[in-house]
């Protein structure tokens, strides 16, 4: 059993900051690519930022220069530092990871339960 657990969402005023964390746990051999997605009401889920195991990152254009994704491989954790938040950043944020399980070295994709980020104007 492998799962992702997120934390760090909340309510913040425009211009403020939040830091999201996501920990992978269970029968893990290795965690490969990790990422953060978000889904606003009435919109499709979109990739916000991704990071490979070696640390290569990518961001959607709307968050470049404001958000930073990072990871701690030893702790199987991925972070999203969000600065200069805008009301348009309001959404449920989901963590995603590709994991190689320690049981038969199976490759699986897991999602976190989601954490609400609300930015007030």
């Amino acid at each position: 059993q492998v799962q992702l657990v997120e934390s760090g969402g909340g309510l913040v005023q425009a211009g403020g900051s939040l830091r999201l964390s996501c920990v992978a746990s269970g029968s893990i051999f290795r965690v490969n690519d990790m990422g953060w997605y978000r889904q606003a009401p009435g919109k499709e889920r979109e990739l916000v930022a991704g990071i490979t195991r070696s640390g290569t990152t990518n961001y959607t254009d709307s968050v470049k220069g404001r958000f930073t994704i990072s990871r701690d491989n030893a702790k199987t954790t991925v972070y999203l530092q969000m600065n200069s938040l805008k009301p348009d950043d309001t959404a449920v944020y989901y963590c995603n990871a590709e994991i190689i399980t320690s049981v038969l070295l199976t490759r699986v994709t897991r999602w976190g339960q989601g954490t609400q980020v609300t930015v007030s104007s």
Side-chain angles (χ1 to χ4, degrees), residues 1 4 7 41 80 103:
Q1 187 79 336
L4 302 177
S7 60
L80 186 67
V103 178

Side-chain angles (χ1 to χ4, degrees), residues 8-12 16-20 80-83 85 117-118:
L11 173 64
V12 64
S17 299
L18 284 174
R19 189 191 195 209
L20 306 182
L80 186 67
Q81 178 66 44
M82 304 184 293
N83 299 328
L85 282 160
V117 171
T118 303

Side-chain angles (χ1 to χ4, degrees), residues 38-50:
R38 67 186 179 187
Q39 187 166 19
K43 295 186 177 180
E44 294 187 353
R45 190 174 298 188
E46 64 169 350
L47 175 66
V48 177

Side-chain angles (χ1 to χ4, degrees), residues 57-105:
T57 59
N58 65 285
Y59 299 90
T60 191
D61 286 346
S62 63
V63 308
K64 287 180 180 177
R66 300 189 298 121
F67 291 11
T68 302
I69 188 170
S70 61
R71 65 187 289 171
D72 182 332
N73 288 333
K75 296 181 179 180
T76 63
T77 302
V78 63
Y79 306 95
L80 186 67
Q81 178 66 44
M82 304 184 293
N83 299 328
S84 302
L85 282 160
K86 304 175 181 179
D88 284 349
D89 295 318
T90 295
V92 178
Y93 284 70
Y94 297 91
C95 174
N96 172 272
E98 180 187 89
I99 296 168
I100 307 298
T101 72
S102 58
V103 178
L104 301 179
L105 299 181

